[in-house]
């Protein structure tokens, strides 16, 4: 499957806890779903939230590390161009994030993370009441994000690019229309290119 389209989001950050930084991102998008066997579905609602708690290194303050929670939902309701019914997909993931920020007036920031635990839920019963919902565990994944901070008279402009990879999940055996079948969430890659505008 392939999902492509624009997103609009907000970013919140607080540095009120000394060496700790707390951040949150929320993105909403209407995207186009395409799959060779299933067809096309337009205006798919996607909601993506990320929460991070980072602590600055005492010896090297350019480095931060911590814990992150990512929640992503695809609301694939409707009927595709080939007549297949859609269903909601929900991923909940815990990550180990690391950040490096260059020490100059218009810095580069590099964010990276390793997946600690993930769970993916496919609500197949929404497409067909004879099908069971499927829950899979995700154990391997990583992300990398590059951000450049540019100061202007209207605030900071921050172009960024983010790549995320999550490997195949475990195999979960369920009864699909009376037949025992092993189901899994396949490996997925996600590329996001965007622009943040920070107003102080």
């Amino acid at each position: 499957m392939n999902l492509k389209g624009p997103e609009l989001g907000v970013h919140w950050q607080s540095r009120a806890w000394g060496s700790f930084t707390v951040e949150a991102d929320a993105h909403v998008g209407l995207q186009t779903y395409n799959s060779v066997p299933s067809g096309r579905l337009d205006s798919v609602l996607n909601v993506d939230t990320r929460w991070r708690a980072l602590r600055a290194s005492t010896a090297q303050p350019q480095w931060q590390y911590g814990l992150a929670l990512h929640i992503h939902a695809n609301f694939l309701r409707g009927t595709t161009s080939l007549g297949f019914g859609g269903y909601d997909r929900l991923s909940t993931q815990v990550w180990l994030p690391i950040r490096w920020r260059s020490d100059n007036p218009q810095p580069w920031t590099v964010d990276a993370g390793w997946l600690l635990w993930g769970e993916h839920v496919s609500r197949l019963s929404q497409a067909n009441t004879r099908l069971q919902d499927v829950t899979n565990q995700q154990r391997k994944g990583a992300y990398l994000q590059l951000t450049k901070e540019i100061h202007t008279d209207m605030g900071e402009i921050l172009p960024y690019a983010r790549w995320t990879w999550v490997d195949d999940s475990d195999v979960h055996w369920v009864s699909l229309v009376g037949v025992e079948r092993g189901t899994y969430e396949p490996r997925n890659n996600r590329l996001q290119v965007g622009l943040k505008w920070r107003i102080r």
Side-chain angles (χ1 to χ4, degrees), residues 46-64:
N46 292 274
V47 179
D48 190 27
T49 61
R50 306 187 198 120
W51 306 81
R52 291 176 298 280
L54 300 169
R55 185 179 189 276
S57 169
T58 303
Q60 297 179 320
Q62 290 175 270
W63 289 90
Q64 292 178 292

Side-chain angles (χ1 to χ4, degrees), residues 174-200:
V174 297
S175 177
L176 297 177
V177 199
V179 178
E180 288 294 318
R181 181 177 175 183
T183 62
Y184 71 101
E185 180 62 19
R187 181 181 61 204
N188 64 83
N189 299 305
R190 188 178 186 196
L191 176 63
Q192 295 168 286
V193 178
L195 188 70
K196 294 181 183 180
W197 179 23
R198 181 187 296 154
I199 304 174
R200 297 186 183 276

Side-chain angles (χ1 to χ4, degrees), residues 59-101:
Q60 297 179 320
Q62 290 175 270
W63 289 90
Q64 292 178 292
Y65 59 92
L67 202 62
L69 173 66
H70 296 179
I71 299 173
H72 184 76
N74 306 122
F75 297 99
L76 287 155
R77 299 292 187 92
T79 304
T80 70
S81 59
L82 297 180
F84 290 90
Y87 54 88
D88 297 343
R89 297 156 45 86
L90 176 66
S91 292
T92 305
Q93 299 165 344
V94 178
W95 296 80
L96 177 65
I98 299 173
R99 173 177 294 167
W100 175 81
R101 180 182 169 91

